[in-house]
Amino acid sequence: MSNEMKPVIDDVTANTVALGAWILPIGHGASVAVGQHELKYIEYITDSVTLPGLPAYCEKGFQWHDHFIPALDLYSLTERRRIPMTNGEQIAAIIAYENAQGKIDFGAIFLQGVPKLMSVKPQQSVPLTELKTVWRLLSHAAFRDEDTLYPVLDLRCLFDKSPSDLLSLH
Amino acid sequence: MNPIDEDVLLGKQLPDKKQLTLAPQASPLTPELALMDCGDFSIFIPSNEIISLVSSAQLVAQPRSSFDCGYLEFEQQYYAIFCLNKALQLQSSIAAAHSTIVLLRDRNILWGISCHELIKQTSPTLSFYSVPPSMRSRKQPFTEFTIINHRAVGLSSTAALSALLRLRGAKLVAQQNLTTVLQGAG
């Protein structure tokens, strides 16, 4: 099943432009954010394949139309524990990002729930230093909503680096 | 403060799916390939690089280091035998499910690798994907792979496997020296 994500919030006021962010639940209450237009599809994945010689967080991917989509388990990356599968299938957010060559590539993030579109105002912005160290290195912005801090993922950093390069940031 | 600008949250105005660059590169197969099923992973190697297959029960010498599983003799030549796990680490004994040893030649170096089974590839054409950047490792003995029966199969070669074994610390000895080395080891 493929559901193209449609923007549902377009909150423009006279003085403040609210931006859209998708909130992605990645496991055990943790969530991250990506830009509204970076999330392209949600897919239920039953047939992921594994490549050898990789850390658990990045060893899986799946075929999607004519593409092979690398899929990241961010919970495993940050907490060193795997995200559990339910009935042999996983939800994945398929995102698009601009790679170092300026071309558009796809990647996926395994989810523990359905994403939620949130309207974010500039005054909700917080310094990256408020994030946990691991998220500072993987994010290029952050914002607060009520009591929750959300890292805004740097997708090029996550998907355009080899695992050894990414892990050397830590 | 790190203000949230539109580039961050709005992202790029991406083109429609039809305009996106396709990640996989389809390439026709030229050499005949054999699929080596190692249980935790699978690779293709060119059939013309395979010297023979033997049973893993034929090992005649004990391991000389923690990097090999022992040696066997085939047609008066000694072959160091290796076994790789899912993390592509060398094992000091052959995995229980590995009943077959594939004997290979990389120039004048002879060695073997254990696997579950070796299957001749019969499909006339296969499309291969490049390994995405986030799934690349210098340990992988391939840069392209295909998917067969819901499993990834890397496009490898004896030379690429030799490079992996050396990277993992294995001592690959040229054939003319090996007999002497084994005799010296007693």
Side-chain angles (χ1 to χ4, degrees):
Chain A
M1 187 176 72
S2 176
N3 303 315
E4 187 168 7
M5 293 291 106
K6 304 285 188 190
V8 295
I9 295 176
D10 187 14
D11 181 7
V12 180
T13 64
N15 299 317
T16 306
V17 177
L19 304 172
W22 284 103
I23 305 303
L24 310 178
I26 59 167
H28 292 267
S31 293
V32 296
V34 297
Q36 175 177 330
H37 296 286
E38 291 175 318
L39 176 54
K40 309 308 285 182
Y41 299 91
I42 297 294
E43 289 280 348
Y44 289 88
I45 306 301
T46 55
D47 274 338
S48 60
V49 300
T50 302
L51 291 188
L54 294 170
Y57 86 88
C58 65
E59 67 180 4
K60 290 187 176 181
F62 54 88
Q63 283 178 304
W64 182 72
H65 300 283
D66 293 329
H67 299 262
F68 179 80
I69 309 291
L72 301 184
D73 177 349
L74 295 180
Y75 186 76
S76 170
L77 172 62
T78 57
E79 303 293 332
R80 305 288 190 269
R81 282 191 290 173
R82 289 171 189 260
I83 195 169
M85 290 180 73
T86 306
N87 298 328
E89 76 175 17
Q90 287 174 288
I91 307 174
I94 297 177
I95 57 84
Y97 69 98
E98 185 179 343
N99 65 23
Q101 289 74 45
K103 293 181 177 176
I104 300 302
D105 262 342
F106 289 118
I109 295 168
F110 284 128
L111 303 180
Q112 278 285 63
V114 177
K116 178 177 69 175
L117 187 60
M118 180 184 285
S119 178
V120 182
K121 295 192 169 72
Q123 50 268 41
Q124 290 177 256
S125 170
V126 298
L128 283 173
T129 50
E130 289 197 18
L131 295 172
K132 287 182 181 175
T133 305
V134 64
W135 288 117
R136 275 182 229 160
L137 301 168
L138 306 175
S139 309
H140 55 178
F143 64 90
R144 185 187 300 278
D145 185 64
E146 298 180 349
D147 291 331
T148 306
L149 271 176
Y150 293 100
V152 182
L153 296 179
D154 181 345
L155 296 174
R156 185 191 290 185
C157 173
L158 278 168
F159 286 99
D160 221 22
K161 286 186 190 312
S162 69
S164 60
D165 288 343
L166 187 66
L167 293 172
S168 69
L169 294 175
H170 291 242
Chain B
M1 293 288 283
N2 296 287
I4 301 174
D5 59 26
E6 292 197 4
D7 281 343
V8 172
L9 280 182
L10 288 180
K12 293 278 178 185
Q13 291 298 318
L14 298 169
D16 292 335
K17 196 182 90 185
K18 287 179 182 172
Q19 296 174 279
L20 294 170
T21 304
L22 292 178
Q25 299 291 324
S27 56
L29 287 179
T30 43
E32 208 170 81
L33 296 174
L35 192 159
M36 190 187 298
D37 178 357
C38 295
D40 288 330
F41 66 95
S42 298
I43 51 175
F44 277 129
I45 53 174
S47 297
N48 60 11
E49 296 180 0
I50 297 172
I51 292 174
S52 189
L53 305 181
V54 295
S55 163
S56 59
Q58 290 187 27
L59 282 179
V60 295
Q62 294 299 306
R64 292 181 53 240
S65 73
S66 58
F67 300 117
D68 67 73
C69 303
Y71 287 75
L72 65 77
E73 185 178 355
F74 178 79
E75 294 184 346
Q76 298 180 325
Q77 307 276 7
Y78 280 96
Y79 293 76
I81 306 303
F82 300 96
C83 176
L84 291 163
N85 66 7
K86 181 184 171 186
L88 300 178
Q89 295 163 325
L90 290 169
Q91 305 298 289
S92 57
S93 61
I94 291 179
H98 287 191
S99 55
T100 301
I101 292 174
V102 183
L103 301 181
L104 301 162
R105 176 191 291 276
D106 179 19
R107 287 162 297 188
N108 62 340
I109 299 174
L110 304 176
W111 53 274
I113 187 166
S114 68
C115 67
H116 178 57
E117 61 180 345
L118 191 79
I119 306 160
K120 185 177 178 182
Q121 174 57 35
T122 53
S123 174
T125 56
L126 291 170
S127 293
F128 285 85
Y129 299 100
S130 292
V131 178
S134 62
M135 300 181 83
R136 285 178 194 159
S137 164
R138 67 192 183 106
K139 297 187 287 287
Q140 287 163 343
F142 55 83
T143 57
E144 294 179 277
F145 67 98
T146 189
I147 297 176
I148 297 175
N149 295 332
H150 312 292
R151 296 189 65 184
V153 184
L155 182 59
S156 191
S157 66
T158 307
L161 287 168
S162 294
L164 167 61
L165 297 182
R166 289 193 179 93
L167 187 70
R168 288 302 199 185
K171 299 281 187 275
L172 299 180
V173 182
Q175 182 57 38
Q176 59 267 31
N177 300 326
L178 186 57
T179 305
T180 308
V181 169
L182 284 173
Q183 286 170 347

